[in-house]
Amino acid sequence: MSQQRIYLDHAATSPLRPEARAAMEQGFALWANPSSPHAEGRKARQALEDARDRIKRALAWDGEVIFTSGASEALALAMGRAKRARRLISATEHDAVFRAAPDGEVVAGDTRFGPDALLAIQHVNSETGTINPVTAMLDEIRKSATWLLSDCAQSAGKLDLPAADMLVVSAHKFGGPIGAGALLVRDFAMLEPVGGHERGYRQGTENLPGALGMAAALEAGDWVTSADDRADFAAALADHRLAIGEQVDYILALTHPNLSAQALLIRLDAHGFAVSAGSACSSGTLKKSRVLDAFGVSDELAARTIRVSIGWSTTPEELEKFAEAWRALT
């Protein structure tokens, strides 16, 4: 017997929107290198720049857009090439930030960072859905002549973006293609150039189909569920939700009173639900999430925490079925 699966792991990746797929097919027809000087290359370049302008409009961004292969490359570009001597990282950042700046200084709570620094603060946490008040922090941060980089992989296309100096976006988190993302930067002069493409700030031929798909996904925008649907879902699971600060309505960290995260994943998967753990799996051993640890979540509670994340294609019926399945877990 076949079972209808319900996908609730959109914080990892969302399915490709049909609008993005159609735009990518148009991009594949423009197969020339956008940097080539001939007519075919110029046509591809025109389409690429049109996608860049559309993305800026969709994100209400008035700075520059550097296309990348995703959030990890954008973070590496920002952390590696920003014209600042120090790299400061908030304790709850995604692992990709720590990989991009292995010698970065971990900071928490204090906004008096000193001059000549780049500070990385995510907009929305991928494990708990916690919203950092990045825009509200900006004035105080800038008193120290610190530049602010915000990882917006979990908020772009869903929330208004914060007014940071650099932003990171990833297309496949909002229904665009995997392998497409961007670094948004206020001014190219904030980065050391590396040569190659993207006005000399990124190496590698631009992914035109990916850029077109990313633009189309941002413009599509609409979700199947309403804000009320998501609020009802969160309310139904409120007693089990790990609430840390202000939170988005599309990422929920849920804790079970008895079952471990590993047992929860196995049981839910067997019942047709695709979710993920709040803990990270490393070398075959379930370990406590570094992020949950940084948030002060106890080892015992973290071991019983999973993540449920909603996306553009999630239906109200799917949320109801998950809530029923969760209540039945013993």
Side-chain angles (χ1 to χ4, degrees):
M1 294 178 64
S2 62
Q3 183 181 44
Q4 185 66 40
R5 302 279 303 173
I6 294 177
Y7 183 79
L8 294 173
D9 195 21
H10 290 261
T13 195
S14 273
L16 189 66
R17 286 180 180 267
E19 297 91 343
R21 185 185 301 275
M24 292 179 71
E25 290 176 354
Q26 295 175 4
F28 288 128
L30 298 172
W31 46 264
N33 190 320
S35 295
S36 296
H38 45 62
E40 290 82 358
R42 295 196 303 273
K43 187 175 182 179
R45 169 60 62 179
Q46 183 179 12
L48 182 71
E49 296 308 319
D50 180 65
R52 197 188 313 272
D53 289 341
R54 290 162 58 198
I55 289 169
K56 290 172 68 173
R57 286 195 298 272
L59 295 176
W61 179 252
D62 59 2
E64 307 293 349
V65 172
I66 301 173
F67 287 120
T68 67
S69 60
S72 292
E73 185 192 351
L75 287 166
L77 197 162
M79 298 300 274
R81 308 305 298 182
K83 293 179 180 178
R84 282 293 187 263
R86 300 170 63 204
R87 300 294 185 265
L88 310 179
I89 305 172
S90 75
T92 59
E93 295 301 300
H94 192 279
D95 285 344
V97 180
F98 288 89
R99 289 193 297 268
D103 298 324
E105 307 167 46
V106 178
V107 298
D110 193 350
T111 55
R112 295 167 295 178
F113 302 119
D116 207 19
L118 174 67
L119 171 64
I121 301 179
Q122 64 195 183
H123 191 199
V124 171
N125 186 270
S126 64
E127 293 190 32
T128 66
T130 301
I131 304 172
N132 282 316
V134 178
T135 299
M137 300 166 65
L138 193 58
D139 287 344
E140 191 65 28
I141 290 170
R142 283 183 171 158
K143 289 179 182 178
S144 301
T146 298
W147 290 352
L148 182 59
L149 164 69
S150 189
D151 177 3
C152 297
Q154 297 296 343
S155 60
K158 302 167 186 176
L159 303 178
D160 291 338
L161 297 186
D165 299 293
M166 301 182 193
L167 305 175
V168 166
V169 300
S170 178
H172 71 101
K173 305 295 188 180
F174 50 76
I178 292 174
L183 173 65
L184 281 55
V185 58
R186 288 290 176 197
D187 193 311
F188 283 131
M190 303 176 85
L191 300 172
E192 292 285 354
V194 296
H197 300 274
E198 291 297 276
R199 299 193 182 182
Y201 291 92
R202 190 249 181 179
Q203 296 180 347
T205 302
E206 293 95 342
N207 177 1
L208 175 57
L212 291 174
M214 182 176 173
L218 281 172
E219 291 170 341
D222 291 340
W223 286 32
V224 176
T225 57
S226 67
D228 287 343
D229 294 328
R230 299 189 292 276
D232 290 344
F233 178 64
L237 299 172
D239 291 343
H240 300 274
R241 190 174 184 184
L242 188 62
I244 302 174
E246 183 183 2
Q247 294 180 295
V248 295
D249 61 4
Y250 51 86
I251 298 176
L252 290 78
L254 299 178
T255 60
H256 194 275
N258 305 310
L259 298 176
S260 69
Q262 191 172 27
L264 289 166
L265 293 183
I266 292 171
R267 292 197 185 189
L268 288 168
D269 189 54
H271 285 87
F273 297 96
V275 296
S276 61
S279 301
C281 196
S282 176
S283 301
T285 303
L286 199 65
K287 296 182 178 180
K288 181 182 179 182
S289 161
R290 175 188 53 74
V291 168
L292 294 184
D293 192 46
F295 273 125
V297 178
S298 69
D299 292 354
E300 189 270 338
L301 193 60
R304 295 183 280 107
T305 300
I306 65 167
R307 180 185 70 187
V308 175
S309 48
I310 303 164
W312 69 270
S313 60
T314 306
T315 68
E317 293 75 21
E318 289 173 336
L319 297 182
E320 291 176 7
K321 289 180 179 178
F322 178 85
E324 291 175 3
W326 178 265
R327 286 191 289 266
L329 289 171
T330 56

